[in-house]
Amino acid sequence: MQALETATLRITEIFFSLQGETSRVGLPTVFVRLTGCPLRCGYCDTAYAFSGGETMTVSAILQQVARYNTRYVTVTGGEPLAQKACLTLLATLCDAHYSVSLETSGALDLSQVDARVSKIMDIKTPGSGEVSKNNWRNLDCLTQHDEIKFVICDESDYRWACEIIQNKQLPQKCPILFSPVHGSLSPATLADWILRDQLPVRMQLQLHKLLWGEGSGR
């Protein structure tokens, strides 16, 4: 693992907000958004993080995180694991006694992520345009400490996700999240489908978008 003063990452933004998703929804959280992503999901809402950013050492990142009075930190992107030093950042944040979550596409290997990190792993649906990028071996890296997220574009995505949940026995691995694509699929419609089929999932909306709308730094 790289030293804190030499390990560097491209950072799009570091900001303090309410966690908008997952079982941590509503908690004041520092977000560290890394630059770059090898995927191009059709519904992506963080395309501004595909390029640019500022090079920072892990030590400098921790100094910025420490400005805020919270124990919750989320490392996100883009796809944070596209940068190798992300593993160093995650472990260092855990060593500093933060409660750390990682938001990842599920396309890149999770096996080296620090076990103390709560992995929030997407399973890309056909509607995302990136279903072929799912790394199914990552399912073996998940525990009840982690969460799986499906972003649902339409009813076809929903049916596909239901099949994946059943065929891969996902409820035995970790909690499952369903999110409607913001501004595309009606949340009430998705809620009706979940209740009709009695799915063992947690439905979520993006709280930050309900509060502040689209845009960076939220």
Side-chain angles (χ1 to χ4, degrees):
M1 191 169 292
Q2 295 173 279
L4 304 191
E5 297 299 335
T6 59
T8 61
L9 292 151
R10 292 294 290 179
I11 301 296
T12 292
E13 56 186 350
I14 299 174
F15 61 95
F16 186 52
S17 186
L18 297 182
Q19 175 58 259
E21 304 181 77
T22 78
S23 61
R24 302 178 178 212
V25 66
L27 291 173
T29 301
V30 178
F31 292 82
V32 181
R33 188 180 304 283
L34 276 61
T35 305
C37 184
L39 280 70
R40 292 295 183 268
C41 299
Y43 49 68
C44 181
D45 56 3
T46 53
Y48 62 89
F50 287 167
S51 60
E54 173 188 359
T55 299
M56 298 179 65
T57 64
V58 170
S59 179
I61 294 168
L62 260 71
Q63 288 178 19
Q64 285 209 27
V65 170
R67 293 168 51 196
Y68 303 101
N69 183 26
T70 181
R71 62 184 294 263
Y72 299 102
V73 179
T74 294
V75 177
T76 186
E79 168 50 68
L81 292 178
Q83 299 188 51
K84 292 183 179 179
C86 180
L87 297 175
T88 301
L89 173 62
L90 292 167
T92 305
L93 287 166
C94 291
D95 289 344
H97 307 295
Y98 289 105
S99 178
V100 182
S101 61
L102 168 71
E103 295 184 344
T104 176
S105 65
L108 302 183
D109 179 32
L110 294 179
S111 63
Q112 300 304 307
V113 174
D114 193 293
R116 294 170 291 179
V117 174
S118 177
K119 299 178 288 292
I120 313 301
M121 190 193 86
D122 278 18
I123 293 181
K124 297 301 182 184
T125 62
S128 73
E130 294 285 24
V131 67
S132 65
K133 302 291 179 61
N134 287 316
N135 183 349
W136 298 109
R137 293 187 299 274
N138 279 332
L139 293 178
D140 295 330
C141 301
L142 302 179
T143 71
Q144 285 295 317
H145 179 58
D146 306 312
E147 299 177 25
I148 292 170
K149 182 174 73 172
F150 291 88
V151 178
I152 307 296
C153 297
D154 52 29
E155 189 170 5
S156 178
D157 267 6
Y158 174 81
R159 294 197 200 98
W160 182 89
C162 290
E163 291 180 4
I164 294 296
I165 288 171
Q166 181 176 6
N167 294 342
K168 297 190 177 295
Q169 301 180 324
L170 296 187
Q172 298 177 23
K173 296 184 179 297
C174 64
I176 303 166
L177 311 169
F178 269 31
S179 299
V181 174
H182 183 74
S184 178
L185 175 62
S186 163
T189 297
L190 179 57
D192 287 340
W193 293 340
I194 291 170
L195 292 172
R196 178 195 65 197
D197 298 330
Q198 301 183 48
L199 287 190
V201 304
R202 178 196 296 262
M203 179 174 160
Q204 60 174 14
L205 302 177
Q206 294 175 295
L207 176 63
H208 51 293
K209 290 186 179 179
L210 296 177
L211 293 174
W212 298 296
E214 303 277 359
S216 61
R218 290 297 192 179

